[in-house]
Each structure stands twice: as structure tokens, then as C-alpha cells.
């Protein structure tokens, strides 16, 4: 599974380098758009981002909202708005919400645009840095918004070579995250949630254990989806027993009638990642990792 996914070869050196690059280049942009995974807005964030952004306008894009629970996404939007950010639900696969981003960036930067106009520089493009941990959907978002007209802007004076600049149109330019910004694997739940969504390889964790942890969340928050998908009602409190029951329902039994728990675990994780169980947010606004 996840052969191509990022492996957790994370260590503090990587983090420091990416943070330094972002800090260096923040002065080149007018605003920062932070992409998070709407299913795990807490764990898919690098907690140092707000500090790095400082006083620049901050736009939070809750990407993959097509796979998340709408009610929870609305609460997360409110949460981010309360921090002073602009927050938008985005589905970079279909393009939903992507168009809203440009309007939001322009309105957040209305004063700056007026300043440019007063200085006779009207039409100077607004520059936005896109930040986010790997697999959160940065490339998909940039491809979506820049579309066919996507032009890489090279060797701009005063702009470090090698940076990934994209012109959306003559009014807006995007800078892709300079360096790889890793999540912060502080609390155990952070690594687990990243592995559940497939943002990091699940090889770091025992597959059955990971599936049991997922089941634990689903049993509490989305039991009706489990019932609808697997025909199981009132799943046992014990997560291992619950996993066994789901496996049995799916006919995943080995000789002697026991559940093939590894196969069941892989099936459950895959069905969650492919949104087959339903639209699920693992980290509710009341969730603390
Ligand atoms: P990155 O640049 O931040 O590393 O992420 P990237 O755009 O490569 O996206 C990582 C995976 O997430 C891709 O799937 C991509 O299609 C998927 N993705 C991105 N945005 C969305 C979204 O809004 N909704 C959904 N449902 N998926 C999204 P993949 O399996 O790695 O590749 P593929 O499916 O594109 O072949």
C-alpha cells in the first residue's frame, strides 16, 4: 500500500530547513494560503505556520472537502475565521471552491491593491505563497487554479532562482512552498491520523492497530455509516472484536472460522481513504489530539 507516498524520513533538520526557507521568502509575497486536509485540519497543519506568516493575510484552504463531513467543515471554517484568517472549503479534484480563492485573496488585499494604484502601479500582480505538508493537495490546487494557462515564472528580479512561481493570470501569482514542510508528529494521534488518510505511509504503524484506532473514531462519530456499509449494529466496545465482526460480515475468515484481521484492516483503511464508508472528518472541532 501507498508505495508512492512519502515515507516518514522526517527529522528536525528537514523541518528547520523548510521553515528557514519559508521565513526567508515570506517577504516576497503579499499573503499566505495554507492548505490543510479537511478531514484532519489539526494534524495536517504544521503548527509553526501562524508564527511564520506573522501579520500577512492568511487564507486557510480546507482541501479534500469532498471527502470530509460538511457539518464539521463548516465548524472548522468558523474556527479559522475566528483566528482572523479567511477560510474556504476546497475540492481541488472537482474545482469546487477554487474560484472563490481568487476573490478572497483579492478582497483580503484590497488595501494593498489600492496602494499600488495610488503609486501608479495598478495591475501589479498579487503574490501568494502556498504552504502545506506533503500530500495535502498543493499541486492539485495549483494545477486547478492555474489550469491550462499555468505558466511558470522564472528568474524574476529579486526572486530567488529555483522557486516555483506560477502565474494564474496577470493579477495573481502563486509561490509553491519553498522546501518540504513536514507535519509535526507530536501527539500519537497526529501520526495515526496522517497514516489513516494516507498522507504518510501506514508502514510506520501496525496495520491492524491503525484500523482499530480508525474504527474507534468511526464507532463514536459515524456509527450509522458503519452500519450502512458493513451491516453491523452496536459494534462491540472492544476495537479488536469490532474489527473481527466487520471482517466476518465481509467473509474475511481463515481456516477455523477466525477473522483474517490483516485483510480486514487493509480493507477498512482503503475504504475509508477512498471515501466508500462516507464523508468523514476524523478531527472534529471539539477533538483534541
Ligand atoms: P501535494 O502536492 O500537496 O503533495 O499533493 P497532491 O496535489 O499531489 O495530492 C495528493 C493526493 O491527493 C493526490 O491523489 C490527489 O489527487 C489527491 N487530492 C488532492 N486534492 C484533492 C481533493 O480536493 N479531493 C480529493 N478527493 N483528492 C484530492 P493520489 O492518489 O496521490 O493521486 P491521483 O489520485 O491524483 O492519481
Amino acid at each position: 500500500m501507498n508505495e508512492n507516498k512519502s515515507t516518514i524520513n522526517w527529522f528536525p533538520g528537514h523541518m528547520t530547513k523548510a521553515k528557514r526557507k519559508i521565513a526567508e521568502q515570506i517577504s516576497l509575497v503579499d499573503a499566505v494560503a495554507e492548505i490543510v486536509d479537511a478531514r484532519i485540519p489539526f494534524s495536517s497543519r504544521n503548527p509553526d505556520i501562524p508564527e511564520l506568516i506573522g501579520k500577512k493575510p492568511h487564507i486557510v484552504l480546507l482541501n479534500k472537502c469532498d471527502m470530509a463531513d460538511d457539518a464539521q467543515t463548516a465548524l472548522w471554517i468558523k474556527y479559522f475565521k475566528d483566528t482572523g484568517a479567511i477560510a474556504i472549503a476546497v475540492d481541488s479534484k472537482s474545482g469546487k471552491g477554487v474560484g472563490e480563492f481568487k476573490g478572497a485573496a483579492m478582497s483580503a488585499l484590497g488595501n494593498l491593491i489600492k496602494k499600488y494604484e495610488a503609486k501608479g502601479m495598478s495591475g501589479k500582480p498579487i503574490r501568494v505563497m502556498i504552504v502545506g505538508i506533503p500530500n495535502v493537495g498543493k499541486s492539485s490546487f495549483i494545477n486547478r487554479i492555474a489550469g491550462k494557462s499555468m505558466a511558470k515564472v522564472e528568474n524574476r528580479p529579486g526572486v530567488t532562482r529555483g522557486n516555483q512561481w506560477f502565474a494564474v493570470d496577470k493579477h495573481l501569482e502563486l509561490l509553491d512552498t519553498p522546501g518540504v514542510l513536514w507535519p509535526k508528529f507530536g501527539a500519537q494521534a497526529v501520526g495515526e491520523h496522517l497514516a489513516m488518510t494516507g498522507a504518510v505511509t501506514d508502514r510506520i504503524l501496525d496495520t491492524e492497530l491503525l484500523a482499530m484506532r480508525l474504527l474507534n473514531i468511526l464507532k463514536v462519530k459515524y456509527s450509522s455509516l458503519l452500519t450502512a456499509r458493513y451491516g453491523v449494529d452496536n459494534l462491540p466496545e472492544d476495537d479488536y472484536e469490532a474489527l473481527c465482526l466487520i471482517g466476518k460480515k465481509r467473509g474475511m475468515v481463515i481456516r477455523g472460522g477466525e477473522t483474517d484481521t490483516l485483510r480486514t484492516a487493509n480493507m477498512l483503511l482503503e475504504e475509508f481513504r477512498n471515501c466508500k464508508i462516507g464523508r468523514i472528518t476524523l478531527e472534529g472541532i471539539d477533538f483534541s489530539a
Side-chain angles (χ1 to χ4, degrees):
M1 288 183 80
N2 293 323
E3 289 295 342
N4 301 321
K5 294 288 177 201
S6 317
T7 48
I8 302 194
N9 54 355
W10 174 86
F11 54 90
H14 272 143
M15 182 83 91
T16 312
K17 204 168 152 197
K19 274 169 59 182
R20 198 177 55 233
K21 279 190 175 173
I22 291 172
E24 272 166 21
Q25 286 164 38
I26 207 105
S27 62
L28 302 175
V29 297
D30 304 306
V32 177
E34 179 189 10
I35 306 193
V36 300
D37 184 327
R39 296 167 299 170
I40 49 165
F42 177 80
S43 298
S44 60
R45 261 194 121 186
N46 181 296
D48 298 322
I49 290 283
E51 192 194 320
L52 285 165
I53 293 175
K55 288 192 162 50
K56 300 256 177 194
H58 179 196
I59 303 165
V60 179
L61 300 172
L62 288 129
N63 194 37
K64 308 196 186 186
C65 72
D66 54 307
M67 297 201 276
D69 173 343
D70 277 337
Q72 284 297 328
T73 301
L75 290 173
W76 275 106
I77 286 179
K78 185 179 177 313
Y79 166 86
F80 284 116
K81 282 187 175 165
D82 287 348
T83 69
I86 292 168
I88 306 169
V90 174
D91 165 6
S92 296
K93 254 196 165 159
S94 77
K96 181 179 167 270
V98 173
E100 216 183 301
F101 165 77
K102 196 179 158 195
M106 292 301 181
S107 71
L109 295 163
N111 288 340
L112 183 76
I113 295 169
K114 278 192 198 124
K115 218 157 94 187
Y116 285 160
E117 281 167 359
K119 285 183 181 168
M121 298 190 294
S122 56
K124 188 173 186 294
I126 293 299
R127 293 174 177 172
V128 180
M129 185 191 282
I130 305 288
V131 298
I133 64 164
N135 284 318
V136 85
K138 292 178 302 299
S139 319
S140 305
F141 176 76
I142 292 172
N143 281 324
R144 244 311 146 183
I145 190 163
K148 287 200 184 83
S149 65
M150 184 159 80
K152 233 166 146 178
V153 185
E154 300 283 5
N155 300 337
R156 178 188 302 289
V159 173
T160 320
R161 280 172 94 105
N163 278 344
Q164 299 283 298
W165 283 92
F166 300 94
V168 173
D169 56 30
K170 60 182 183 345
H171 303 294
L172 180 64
E173 288 180 7
L174 306 178
L175 172 63
D176 198 1
T177 315
V180 179
L181 188 70
W182 289 96
K184 215 166 195 168
F185 299 102
Q188 187 188 333
V190 172
E192 286 177 0
H193 295 174
L194 289 164
M196 286 169 192
T197 58
V200 297
T201 179
D202 53 12
R203 291 202 189 134
I204 53 159
L205 298 157
D206 179 86
T207 305
E208 280 129 309
L209 203 59
L210 188 67
M212 281 157 57
R213 300 285 296 141
L214 173 64
L215 205 45
N216 187 274
I217 301 173
L218 301 186
K219 273 191 318 190
V220 176
K221 297 185 176 177
Y222 297 100
S223 61
S224 57
L225 294 182
L226 287 176
T227 304
R229 180 80 191 162
Y230 302 109
V232 285
D233 225 345
N234 296 324
L235 275 169
E237 214 169 289
D238 183 274
D239 298 328
Y240 183 76
E241 282 177 26
L243 187 73
C244 289
L245 191 64
I246 287 179
K248 283 211 173 87
K249 283 270 178 189
R250 279 291 173 97
M252 293 181 173
V253 282
I254 44 179
R255 234 179 296 166
E258 272 180 44
T259 304
D260 185 339
T261 46
L262 182 60
R263 222 178 122 209
T264 309
N266 277 320
M267 178 273 298
L268 189 75
L269 288 165
E270 203 191 296
E271 295 204 345
F272 163 69
R273 287 177 192 142
N274 294 329
C275 216
K276 285 187 181 151
I277 303 173
R279 294 176 61 185
I280 288 163
T281 299
L282 294 179
E283 296 172 354
I285 198 67
D286 55 347
F287 178 90
S288 51

